[in-house]
Amino acid sequence: MTLFLSIILTIWGVMHLYVFWRLASVPWLAVQISRPMLIAAAIALWASYPVARILYSWKLDAAARPLEIAGATWIGILFLLFAVLLVADVVTLGGYLVPNLLTRIPGWALVAAGLLSIVALVQGIRPPVLRDYEVWLAGLPPERDGLVLVEISDLHLGTLINKGWLTRLVRRVNDLRPDLVAVVGDVVDGNVERVEAMRPVLAQLRAPLGVWAVTGNHEYYAGEEQCVRLFQDAGFTVLRDAWAEAASGLVLAGVDDLTAGRQFGSNRHSIESALATRPPGAVILLSHSPLQAELAARLGAGLMLSGHTHNGQLWPFSYLVRLRYPLLGGRHEVAGMPVIVCRGTGTWGPRMRLWRPSEIVRIKLRAAAERPR
């Protein structure tokens, strides 16, 4: 974990060096802000989010919250600045192809990144959209035809996404009248104690066939055992490399997060354990990270529900995320098995999204032996 944080902070530092080096060449900015002031701003912004987290650990919430909001928003703005400036430099070979525009390019990139940041902020704070799918699920009994499942993931509850937001979300999900609710990880952002105060709201999620959950990587970071107890106290059935019958002929299986398992050096055969010795019937696998889908299909899962990727959250970060998670968002088919990856009901870090809004996923299950043509 220490190595992981060191890598992240190093990348964070390199991005600041590049962005502020390029901004220093903007003539109108250089006139308004001296180089020492620019360096001081770079250091302050680099430190803002980590310092906010430290202040929270010291219980200095009043100082930490505004700093966290500013620092998280800066994460999104910096990424867009970095991306736009880098693209401009690559396309123009650092201005070599258009030497007469050399001093103007960073300024135009700054304006473009500013406009994109405004759009991302608006999209990030809007309520999640509802996305519908229909899935023909092998083994589903005819009497279960038309069953409605609602999937939510990546709420990242804490200080930036709070009780008021969660209350509105729970009301929306309940208004959909689902037969079953699947909560596919990263409910907690980083501190389970802050989410404890929201447990009564989580407990208001209702469905005739229950509310089912699996852990995400952020539950590991916050303390997976505490998070699991929180979910159970809220009335969720937590599947940890195990299966259970939600109803006759319908099996739900779930795994602890596969990404976090690798980060913490776990060698568990999670999917094999989750799908072993199950009874006959339709099988839905809940896995926060959209990994090992081929294995799940081979072992008999009929549908896999995941999250984690946020669909990149901030374009063009999605291109980098896809290198690690090819099943980035939306519906995919893997060895004949549908995989639906929720792009996140909340947001991580900055309350920003670019082009792809947060979503609630509603799935209607069909009991056909094969999909009608």
Side-chain angles (χ1 to χ4, degrees), residues 156-221:
H156 291 282
L157 300 176
T159 51
L160 296 180
I161 299 184
N162 55 26
K163 187 175 181 179
W165 181 92
L166 177 62
T167 300
R168 293 188 292 273
L169 173 68
V170 169
R171 187 181 302 123
R172 282 191 65 191
V173 171
N174 287 342
D175 285 347
L176 296 173
R177 299 188 180 280
D179 297 295
L180 185 151
V181 174
V183 184
V184 194
D186 278 9
V187 174
V188 178
D189 185 50
N191 189 315
V192 67
E193 293 177 3
R194 293 194 186 90
V195 186
E196 279 285 355
M198 306 182 207
R199 180 173 54 81
V201 182
L202 287 170
Q204 293 172 21
L205 274 173
R206 294 282 189 271
L209 299 182
V211 179
W212 302 76
V214 291
T215 60
N217 55 307
H218 278 258
E219 272 78 46
Y220 270 77
Y221 307 153

Side-chain angles (χ1 to χ4, degrees), residues 144-161:
R144 300 294 176 193
D145 183 69
L147 185 148
V148 174
L149 180 154
V150 167
E151 176 192 6
I152 56 177
S153 77
D154 300 278
L155 277 60
H156 291 282
L157 300 176
T159 51
L160 296 180
I161 299 184

Side-chain angles (χ1 to χ4, degrees), residues 101-367:
L101 300 177
L102 182 60
T103 59
R104 298 183 185 181
I105 291 171
W108 290 345
L110 177 60
V111 171
L115 293 174
L116 288 174
S117 296
I118 292 171
V119 173
L121 283 165
V122 171
Q123 290 188 330
I125 62 176
R126 65 180 290 196
V129 300
L130 179 64
R131 193 166 189 192
D132 283 300
Y133 296 95
E134 196 167 37
V135 172
W136 277 257
L137 188 58
L140 186 68
E143 63 270 21
R144 300 294 176 193
D145 183 69
L147 185 148
V148 174
L149 180 154
V150 167
E151 176 192 6
I152 56 177
S153 77
D154 300 278
L155 277 60
H156 291 282
L157 300 176
T159 51
L160 296 180
I161 299 184
N162 55 26
K163 187 175 181 179
W165 181 92
L166 177 62
T167 300
R168 293 188 292 273
L169 173 68
V170 169
R171 187 181 302 123
R172 282 191 65 191
V173 171
N174 287 342
D175 285 347
L176 296 173
R177 299 188 180 280
D179 297 295
L180 185 151
V181 174
V183 184
V184 194
D186 278 9
V187 174
V188 178
D189 185 50
N191 189 315
V192 67
E193 293 177 3
R194 293 194 186 90
V195 186
E196 279 285 355
M198 306 182 207
R199 180 173 54 81
V201 182
L202 287 170
Q204 293 172 21
L205 274 173
R206 294 282 189 271
L209 299 182
V211 179
W212 302 76
V214 291
T215 60
N217 55 307
H218 278 258
E219 272 78 46
Y220 270 77
Y221 307 153
E224 71 269 26
E225 297 300 334
Q226 288 177 281
C227 291
V228 168
R229 284 195 296 272
L230 167 66
F231 297 164
Q232 291 172 335
D233 290 344
F236 298 0
T237 300
V238 184
L239 297 169
R240 308 192 69 185
D241 301 347
W243 60 263
E245 276 194 298
S248 177
L250 178 61
V251 174
L252 290 187
V255 295
D256 279 342
D257 182 52
L258 301 173
T259 297
R262 291 180 179 180
Q263 290 174 351
F264 286 87
S266 170
N267 293 313
R268 298 191 321 271
H269 298 286
S270 298
I271 290 180
E272 293 93 333
S273 299
L275 295 174
T277 68
R278 67 185 185 277
V283 181
I284 300 174
L285 175 67
L286 310 183
S287 173
H288 178 66
S289 296
L291 297 171
Q292 301 184 33
E294 296 87 352
L295 175 61
R298 190 167 68 248
L299 293 176
L303 169 65
M304 179 171 166
L305 303 179
S306 296
H308 183 60
T309 68
H310 292 238
N311 212 120
Q313 188 163 319
L314 276 177
W315 177 90
F317 189 59
S318 53
Y319 297 115
L320 293 177
V321 177
R322 193 183 293 276
L323 296 175
R324 179 68 178 88
Y325 301 99
L327 307 181
L328 186 64
R331 179 172 180 157
H332 307 267
E333 296 283 334
V334 177
M337 178 189 69
V339 181
I340 294 176
V341 183
C342 176
R343 60 179 174 240
T345 309
T347 52
W348 176 84
R351 293 301 312 277
M352 299 169 74
R353 278 188 175 271
L354 199 53
W355 315 137
R356 297 291 187 179
S358 301
E359 68 180 8
I360 298 167
V361 172
R362 179 170 59 184
I363 304 166
K364 181 174 285 189
L365 300 178
R366 290 300 187 186

Side-chain angles (χ1 to χ4, degrees), residues 86-107:
L86 184 62
V87 168
D89 280 345
V90 169
V91 169
T92 65
L93 298 182
Y96 176 79
L97 298 179
V98 284
N100 56 319
L101 300 177
L102 182 60
T103 59
R104 298 183 185 181
I105 291 171

Side-chain angles (χ1 to χ4, degrees), residues 10 13 19 25 45 82 108 213 227 235 253 297 299 330 364:
T10 300
V19 165
S25 65
L45 289 167
F82 180 85
W108 290 345
C227 291
L299 293 176
K364 181 174 285 189

